[in-house]
Amino acid sequence: MLAFLIAPAADAQPQVQDQAQPQPATAPAAIAAPQDRPFPGHIALRIDATDLDRHIFTGHETVPVPAQLSASGGDMVLLFPKWLPGDHSPSGELDAFASLVVNAGGTRLGWVRDPVDVYAFHIPVPRGSTSLDLDFQFLSPTEPKQGRVAMTPAMLSLQWNNMLLYPAGYFSRDITMDASVTLPAGWSFGTGLDVASTAGAVTHFKPVPLNTLVDNPMLAGRYFRREDLAPGAAVPVHLDIAADRPDDLAITPDQLARHRALVVQAQRLFGSHHYDHYDFLLSLSDELGGIGLEHHRSSENGVEPGYFTEWDKMAPERDLLPHEYTHSWNGKFRRPADLWQPNFNVPEQDSLLWVYEGQTQYWGKILAARSGLISRQEVLDSLAYTAATYSTGIGRSWRNLEDTTNDPVIASRRPIPFRSWQRSEDYYEEGALVWLDVDTRLRSLTHDSKSLDDFARAFFGIDNGSYITATYQLADVVKALNTVAPYDWAAFLNARLFATGPQAPLDGLTRGGYRLTYTDTETPFLKSEEANRKYTELSFSLGVALKSDGTVRGVIWDSPAFKAGIVVGTQIVAVNGLSYDADELKQTLKASLTDKAPIQILLKADRHYRMVTVDYHGGLRYPHLERTGTGPASLDTIISARK
Ligand SMILES: [Zn+2]
């Protein structure tokens, strides 16, 4: 602004610029790229996880110095893992990594963080040093707004990548880690790692490559329960449960049977396994940070404390385990080539997340239904909600589905003002609709003799027993689909992934024998979703989702609320002259069908009050799936348990 005020008069002579213009500073030397060569020796990693009051993990690490560097002395670069598998983004919690002290042979060495790559630490290694001793801490967030709380008085989630440094210049699979952990006395744990020995509270694990260590976190807890999900099977599968309170661990025989059925149904789907044992790490907590993170032979699943004890209210939570389990096949074993990384500091590229996450989201719902974790009606209600959400959200008009695979890097799940327009990680749920489209198309092309089950078996089920990651590209997906049923799959996928336009991909529902419809009654599934997440869902009528005090948590672009200037963060204080009440607002919306008067809404944003008029007469609207046609519906066949 100031520049305009002091702009020279039109006839002033331009000032001659004699000084040299700035030039970029010389960039520091690049960090050594990873090479596929063995790192000599084992790195010993000792974690103390007993400081429950302060949520502090304390680490000690002994890193061998390669012989050549030992002979010459010089710079050794150690890396903190930055790009984490499953997060699809540079999410390593570097800010919580603290107290780093490096010693060699009892002499303290300085360390310097790389000025460009702040995840890299330069260590000046004296000649003759054979190993480095590192001491550090991982300071777990102590409240959710700092990040994911990884330790509570009753449980902890130990993610090795947050509490280690590793040498630059090597593939992570070429670095051998020898890890141990000290837990609070009397605690139990679950992990995909194999135990070498236990002495008191110290557990020592068998040496594994770095990528395997990072892929095998630990869930430990004071109140713990372990259930066998594959009794008598050659390849064990367990459910390891930690809870805030011992009462929450009360899994009923029926609930156990449904979780066991998940293992059976997944085996029938994929016809293979890519682990030698598998552990579901299940935390029932409203204190430990929520999580849903896949691994090759385990998964981290964070759910509400009442997952078992308030089973009837938890339907929306119950596709989490099927989702994360599916990832053992789709994501961990088969992985997009551009997402595979030689070490944790090479950027991941997310272009195929619509397969990695989208098809996993699809199988998560389908396997949940096939195993009885959710009922037929609940999966239909879940699909109705997804279909309505993506029909209402019209960000597709400017941003195609494939582009949303960049969102983990762009937005990292930060709150945004106009989610339905900006789009988010839509490749999950809209991706699932695309795969329903593919599934029903395969069925119609083959007169119901083939389906996406055949694709899953052919694509993810190869090399039974192997857990060496097999990478793929888009062309491989197209080829595998063509093997199941010849069709122009490239054009089919292109139209759904790369095109823009307002229409959600609902052809799968139509072909599946259903159509999206709206009534003034919520499904029990949506009611549970609202209760668990503590909000009121009016996205399909007024165009808002509201917190319990009327504060807007979501607004639909181009909706009546949007047109009235209602945005996220504003609070609905009163409706038609009466203070906000969720049930009364619903009644007002219901009456809007016949009531010709517009709705008067008093808004509050910070100190500003504003009255807006919403001339809405569409009634209260909630999504449902309605059966079309007669005879067996394709979608009903899809969600039926496989014999
Ligand atoms: Zn996932």
Side-chain angles (χ1 to χ4, degrees):
M1 205 56 91
L2 194 61
F4 289 102
L5 296 175
I6 60 168
D11 59 350
Q13 292 299 311
Q15 199 179 341
V16 177
Q17 300 277 325
D18 288 336
Q19 304 97 317
Q21 297 286 340
Q23 298 296 323
T26 306
I31 305 297
Q35 295 179 44
D36 196 2
R37 52 175 180 157
F39 180 74
H42 289 191
I43 294 178
L45 178 64
R46 310 281 171 255
I47 300 297
D48 184 303
T50 59
D51 191 352
L52 299 176
D53 292 338
R54 284 170 288 264
H55 304 213
I56 295 172
F57 295 84
T58 302
H60 181 85
E61 192 175 357
T62 306
V63 183
V65 174
Q68 201 177 352
L69 181 59
S70 178
S72 62
D75 183 37
M76 184 165 180
V77 176
L78 300 177
L79 301 172
F80 183 84
K82 177 179 182 181
W83 291 82
L84 302 182
D87 285 357
H88 322 308
S89 62
S91 56
E93 294 173 65
L94 182 60
D95 54 338
F97 182 77
S99 324
L100 177 63
V101 172
V102 183
N103 282 281
T107 303
R108 183 165 175 170
L109 309 177
W111 54 262
V112 178
R113 202 186 291 263
D114 189 84
V116 173
D117 181 352
V118 296
Y119 292 76
F121 296 82
H122 295 269
I123 316 291
V125 177
R127 195 177 339 169
S129 302
T130 54
S131 66
L132 302 178
D133 284 299
L134 279 54
D135 290 284
F136 49 79
Q137 293 171 326
F138 172 68
L139 308 176
S140 162
T142 53
E143 58 176 349
K145 66 182 176 188
Q146 298 165 358
R148 178 173 179 261
V149 174
M151 186 186 268
T152 77
M155 68 179 76
L156 63 86
S157 160
L158 193 161
Q159 293 176 309
W160 302 99
N161 48 276
N162 278 329
M163 36 199 103
L164 61 80
L165 296 179
Y166 72 96
Y170 301 85
F171 280 19
S172 53
R173 67 175 178 230
D174 295 328
I175 300 168
T176 304
M177 301 295 295
D178 175 355
S180 69
V181 61
T182 306
L183 291 173
W187 281 35
S188 305
F189 68 87
T191 176
L193 288 176
D194 294 322
V195 173
S197 64
T198 306
V202 182
T203 303
H204 199 129
F205 296 102
K206 290 181 181 169
V208 287
L210 173 62
N211 56 334
T212 303
L213 183 72
V214 167
D215 193 44
N216 285 279
M218 164 191 277
L219 174 68
R222 185 187 305 274
Y223 310 116
F224 203 87
R225 178 168 182 157
R226 190 161 204 245
E227 294 291 344
D228 186 351
L229 292 190
V235 182
V237 180
H238 285 93
L239 181 60
D240 303 318
I241 317 164
D244 289 344
R245 291 172 298 274
D247 294 354
D248 293 335
L249 295 170
I251 181 172
T252 67
D254 176 66
Q255 291 163 353
L256 180 58
R258 291 168 198 266
H259 287 85
R260 285 177 172 166
L262 168 60
V263 178
V264 171
Q265 288 298 322
Q267 289 298 326
R268 287 184 186 157
L269 171 61
F270 296 113
S272 71
H273 57 82
H274 302 296
Y275 45 78
D276 50 356
H277 51 81
Y278 189 94
D279 284 75
F280 288 95
L281 311 178
L282 178 63
S283 51
L284 314 179
S285 181
D286 46 24
E287 297 175 32
L288 192 78
I291 196 166
L293 189 57
E294 64 275 19
H295 304 287
H296 227 119
R297 53 185 182 183
S298 67
S299 54
E300 295 167 275
N301 306 272
V303 294
E304 297 285 327
Y307 181 77
F308 294 121
T309 55
E310 297 177 90
W311 184 256
D312 291 345
K313 299 177 187 166
M314 295 295 155
E317 302 252 281
R318 293 206 294 266
D319 65 352
L320 178 62
L321 272 68
H323 177 106
E324 302 305 342
Y325 191 34
T326 297
H327 271 316
S328 182
W329 291 265
N330 179 11
K332 303 310 292 190
F333 173 62
R334 298 281 345 233
R335 196 172 313 167
D338 61 358
L339 194 60
W340 183 87
Q341 40 176 189
N343 75 10
F344 301 109
N345 292 65
V346 172
E348 296 169 303
Q349 297 173 57
D350 293 343
S351 68
L352 287 166
L353 285 184
W354 56 273
V355 184
Y356 181 122
E357 292 294 359
Q359 196 174 139
T360 298
Q361 191 73 359
Y362 181 68
W363 288 125
K365 289 180 200 291
I366 303 307
L367 285 174
R370 289 182 183 177
S371 59
L373 282 168
I374 58 176
S375 68
R376 170 184 172 278
Q377 191 58 49
E378 284 163 346
V379 73
L380 294 179
D381 293 348
S382 161
L383 284 168
Y385 187 43
T386 298
T389 299
Y390 289 90
S391 298
T392 313
I394 54 167
R396 195 183 304 97
S397 304
W398 72 273
R399 186 178 183 193
N400 69 41
L401 180 60
E402 197 268 351
D403 188 64
T404 70
T405 63
N406 293 300
D407 230 59
V409 179
I410 293 171
S412 303
R413 299 190 179 180
R414 282 188 302 276
I416 51 176
F418 299 108
R419 189 190 188 287
S420 70
W421 183 245
Q422 291 168 277
R423 310 201 84 183
S424 178
E425 297 176 1
D426 292 3
Y427 52 83
Y428 279 89
E429 289 284 348
E430 190 172 316
L433 292 174
V434 169
W435 286 109
L436 175 62
D437 198 352
V438 173
D439 197 351
T440 52
R441 171 64 73 181
L442 284 169
R443 287 166 193 264
S444 73
L445 284 169
T446 62
H447 305 287
D448 287 324
S449 69
K450 294 283 176 65
S451 70
L452 197 65
D453 284 49
D454 296 281
F455 171 85
R457 183 173 279 252
F459 198 71
F460 303 117
I462 55 171
D463 299 338
N464 185 29
S466 168
Y467 35 102
I468 296 173
T469 300
T471 61
Y472 65 86
Q473 306 194 23
L474 174 56
D476 300 311
V477 177
V478 170
K479 190 174 160 200
L481 285 169
N482 272 310
T483 305
V484 178
Y487 189 64
D488 191 352
W489 290 109
F492 179 98
L493 292 172
N494 264 326
R496 284 148 187 82
L497 293 165
F498 295 98
T500 51
Q503 298 305 321
L506 301 188
D507 289 355
L509 284 180
T510 310
R511 224 178 282 114
Y514 286 85
R515 73 183 181 93
L516 177 63
T517 179
Y518 294 87
T519 75
D520 61 10
T521 310
E522 289 170 271
T523 62
F525 180 89
L526 182 51
K527 265 193 178 140
S528 297
E529 180 81 356
E530 287 180 306
N532 295 346
R533 295 180 188 265
K534 299 180 178 65
Y535 76 104
T536 300
E537 179 59 275
L538 302 172
S539 292
F540 313 109
S541 47
L542 187 58
V544 286
L546 301 170
K547 297 180 188 174
S548 54
D549 67 348
T551 301
V552 178
R553 76 196 280 276
V555 64
I556 303 298
W557 193 266
D558 261 359
S559 67
F562 174 88
K563 286 172 181 160
I566 297 174
V567 296
V568 169
T570 52
Q571 185 184 4
I572 294 183
V573 180
V575 177
N576 288 344
L578 291 173
S579 59
Y580 170 77
D581 176 278
D583 289 333
E584 286 176 10
L585 175 55
K586 288 180 194 173
Q587 286 307 316
T588 303
L589 291 171
K590 205 169 175 177
S592 72
L593 277 174
T594 49
D595 193 341
K596 292 199 171 60
I599 304 167
Q600 304 287 340
I601 297 179
L602 179 62
L603 297 171
K604 180 176 185 283
D606 297 320
R607 295 176 57 215
H608 306 271
Y609 285 81
R610 187 160 51 99
M611 184 70 85
V612 296
T613 298
V614 183
D615 201 10
Y616 173 74
H617 299 284
L620 193 54
R621 296 172 85 240
Y622 295 109
H624 296 260
L625 290 190
E626 187 179 272
R627 182 78 177 88
T628 56
T630 53
S634 187
L635 181 53
D636 287 322
T637 309
I638 291 171
I639 62 180
S640 299
R642 282 191 58 167
K643 300 284 188 277

